[in-house]
């Protein structure tokens, strides 16, 4: 294979690295051998791959739901199917509730500061998403200054019991850095305190035990292969009781953020206001598919298999390395791979994009020489394998001759 100079329209290297993004219209001349491309080139971390079977089902059966009242038969039955399916998938105890509303994962941070945190929360802040919930809490005037435990990007901190903390905010998978953490209750914490888990990119692709959380909330555009705009919360009896206690206590809560209103509507297979019915349909199809993989453990095993392949490749590669140094902390659903200095990752990603291999850009808050790839259950392991071959080809063509060894994680 011939080594070629990057085409002239390539942004200057410093530029691409600072922004972490290459404009979509940038032309990078990369040729890949026939038959090497993945069948499906969607590797984004959210919105993430929607399986073609989900879309076919929507096209063939969507008319039963789309354009009909969400307060009547078909859509309510659909919401009931989603709630029952999630209960089965997460093996929820009978007294846990499945609650849904509009606004996506981000909305739930405001819902929590209004209706779940009594006075003071502890946040583990170790990337863009966990950091954003921390910022929402910090700017909430009726709450005490939160306790914030940080750790550098590519690692996660540990929660620790604190006497005045009434809610512990954890993130199972920090999507910006590809760090995952085990979810368990905080040893020594007040029995009355809640564990609130952002499971947005983990839910459906990583194991979690209901006994370990009071609220596990997520949006369906990652493992669940639906569209954004909805939030889903799996709530323990203690969390429901907390929501009722705070709402009864006189704090002003906009009705749109009201958990008691959402709990009440969800129990009747309704949402507070009009939901995206197409998204609910896609979600429902994906829940059935995940159950067919063997439930959460089968789905998690599929993602873990893809992850083992990707991290194994990176460890063996002379020019790539997993960004997360500690193998235990590497996410099974989102991989961040760091490239050696002689390779311009943004340029390579632009070249792959031209071949329909999409959304490998690192998180926009994160201007490092890396790629980030989704490994959700819907992403086939064979497609991940094909992607790694394409990267090897791209590096051979686009990378300047290697002058140095691999870059360390330090
Ligand atoms: C994607 C993501 C969010 C944001 O979800 P939206 O539905 O876009 O608001 C929050 N937390 C984590 C961990 C995420 O991955």
């Amino acid at each position: 294979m011939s080594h070629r100079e990057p085409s002239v329209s390539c942004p200057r290297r410093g530029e691409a690295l600072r922004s972490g993004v290459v404009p979509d219209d940038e032309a990078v001349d990369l040729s890949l051998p026939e038959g090497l491309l993945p069948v499906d080139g969607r590797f984004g971390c959210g919105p993430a791959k929607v399986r073609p079977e989900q879309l076919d089902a929507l096209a063939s059966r969507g008319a039963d739901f789309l354009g009909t009242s969400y307060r009547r038969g078909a859509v309510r039955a659909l919401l009931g199917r989603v709630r029952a399916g999630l209960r089965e998938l997460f093996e929820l105890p009978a007294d846990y509730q499945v609650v849904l509303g509009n606004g996506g994962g981000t909305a739930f941070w405001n819902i929590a500061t209004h209706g779940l945190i009594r006075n003071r929360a502890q946040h583990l802040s170790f990337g863009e998403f966990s950091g954003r919930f921390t910022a929402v809490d910090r700017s909430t005037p009726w709450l005490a200054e939160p306790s914030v435990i940080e750790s550098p990007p590519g690692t996660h901190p540990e929660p620790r019991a604190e006497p005045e903390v009434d809610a512990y905010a954890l993130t199972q998978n920090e999507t910006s850095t590809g760090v995952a953490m085990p979810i368990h209750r905080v040893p020594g914490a007040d029995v009355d305190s809640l564990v609130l888990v952002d499971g947005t990119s983990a839910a459906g692709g990583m194991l979690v035990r209901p006994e370990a959380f009071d609220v596990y909330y997520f949006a369906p555009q990652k493992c669940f292969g639906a569209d954004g705009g909805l939030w889903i919360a799996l709530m323990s009896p203690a969390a429901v009781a907390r929501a009722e206690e705070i709402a009864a206590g006189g704090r002003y809560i906009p009705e749109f953020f009201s958990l008691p209103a959402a709990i009440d509507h969800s129990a009747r297979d309704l949402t507070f206001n009009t939901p995206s019915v197409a998204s609910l349909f896609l979600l429902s199809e994906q829940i059935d598919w995940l159950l067919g993989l063997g439930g959460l453990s089968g789905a998690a095993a599929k993602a873990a298999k893809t992850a083992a392949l990707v991290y194994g490749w990176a460890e063996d590669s002379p020019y790539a390395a997993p960004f997360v140094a500690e193998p235990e902390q590497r996410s099974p659903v989102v991989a961040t791979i760091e490239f050696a200095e002689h390779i311009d990752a943004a340029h390579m990603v632009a070249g792959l994009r031209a071949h329909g291999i999409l959304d490998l850009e690192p998180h926009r808050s994160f201007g490092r020489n890396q790629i980030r790839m989704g490994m959700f259950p819907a992403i086939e392991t064979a497609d991940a394998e094909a992607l790694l071959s394409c990267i090897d080809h791209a590096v051979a063509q686009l990378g300047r001759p290697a002058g140095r060894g691999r870059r360390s994680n330090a």
Side-chain angles (χ1 to χ4, degrees):
M1 180 165 310
S2 66
H3 289 253
R4 277 184 279 168
E5 281 298 306
S7 60
V8 284
S9 55
C10 181
R12 278 177 295 122
R13 181 180 147 75
E15 261 170 30
L17 288 188
R18 257 195 312 283
S19 65
V21 181
V22 173
D24 278 356
D25 57 358
E26 191 225 342
V28 175
D29 192 11
L30 170 69
S31 70
L32 294 170
E34 288 286 314
L36 197 67
L37 291 173
V39 174
D40 198 303
R42 290 173 290 177
F43 293 98
C45 296
K49 179 182 169 185
V50 181
R51 288 176 308 106
E53 294 82 0
Q54 287 170 280
L55 293 171
D56 289 347
L58 182 65
S60 63
R61 296 187 352 251
D64 294 346
F65 309 91
L66 296 177
T68 75
S69 170
Y70 73 100
R71 299 186 172 279
R72 313 261 163 241
V75 178
R76 282 180 80 165
L78 176 63
L79 200 65
R81 210 176 119 203
V82 164
R83 293 179 64 244
L86 290 172
R87 180 175 292 286
E88 188 181 345
L89 187 67
F90 288 95
E91 298 178 18
L92 295 183
D95 55 0
Y96 274 54
Q97 305 216 25
V98 181
V99 184
L100 285 96
N102 285 315
T106 300
F108 202 81
W109 296 327
N110 287 102
I111 289 168
T113 54
H114 280 87
L116 286 168
I117 302 170
R118 189 187 280 136
N119 183 49
R120 185 166 192 245
Q122 179 182 99
H123 292 263
L124 300 193
S125 179
F126 54 107
E128 177 67 19
F129 292 101
S130 50
R132 275 198 233 161
F133 186 15
T134 306
V136 168
D137 186 334
R138 277 194 166 126
S139 66
T140 302
W142 56 87
L143 297 177
E145 183 66 22
S147 161
V148 181
I149 306 179
E150 290 177 297
S151 74
T155 67
H156 70 75
E158 292 290 343
R160 57 170 177 264
E162 282 185 275
E164 74 280 29
V165 163
D166 61 73
Y168 292 85
L170 314 179
T171 302
Q172 190 177 18
N173 185 64
E174 178 44 82
T175 320
S176 64
T177 60
V179 169
M181 65 175 289
I183 297 302
H184 48 70
R185 292 196 178 268
V186 183
D190 192 330
V191 288
D192 183 43
S193 62
L194 301 180
V195 173
L196 315 179
V197 181
D198 182 347
T200 302
S201 55
M206 289 181 70
L207 290 174
V208 67
R209 290 177 306 108
E211 311 82 66
F213 63 76
D214 292 295
V215 183
Y216 189 72
Y217 62 92
F218 51 93
Q221 71 273 22
K222 306 194 183 187
C223 293
F224 287 100
D227 244 343
L230 287 169
W231 58 260
I232 296 146
L234 314 178
M235 297 181 68
S236 75
V240 172
R242 174 73 70 85
E244 282 163 1
E245 169 209 309
I246 292 176
R251 177 185 292 172
Y252 169 68
I253 302 174
E255 230 183 335
F256 195 64
F257 289 155
S258 163
L259 273 171
I263 292 165
D264 175 65
H265 280 77
S266 297
R268 294 183 286 128
D269 293 332
L270 288 169
T271 45
F272 182 68
N273 66 324
T274 315
S276 162
V277 175
S279 192
L280 282 172
F281 183 86
L282 295 172
L283 167 60
S284 165
E285 288 297 301
Q286 187 74 339
I287 293 168
D288 288 348
W289 181 75
L290 292 167
L291 287 169
L293 289 181
L296 207 49
S297 55
K302 187 170 177 198
K305 184 176 163 210
T306 305
L309 177 86
V310 170
Y311 292 125
W313 167 86
E315 281 183 328
D316 291 346
S317 168
Y319 48 77
F323 169 62
V324 178
E326 181 58 60
E328 290 276 281
Q329 299 192 357
R330 285 177 196 155
S331 166
V333 285
V334 170
T336 43
I337 304 292
E338 186 99 334
F339 283 83
E341 281 169 45
H342 69 273
I343 292 153
D344 184 336
H347 188 62
M348 178 182 75
V349 164
L352 293 170
R353 180 174 280 281
H355 289 271
I357 298 174
L358 306 179
D359 301 339
L360 292 171
E361 287 82 2
H363 192 269
R364 61 194 148 71
S365 68
F366 220 62
R368 301 183 66 128
N369 195 33
Q370 57 176 229
I371 64 165
R372 187 176 60 135
M373 90 184 254
M375 304 180 295
F376 302 125
I379 292 169
E380 294 302 329
T381 308
D383 277 349
E385 199 166 8
L387 166 64
L388 301 177
S389 303
C390 289
I391 291 175
D392 284 332
H393 273 85
V395 165
Q397 267 179 67
L398 301 175
R400 286 187 284 275
R404 315 172 180 215
R406 78 200 265 168
R407 183 175 184 161
S408 84
N409 277 313

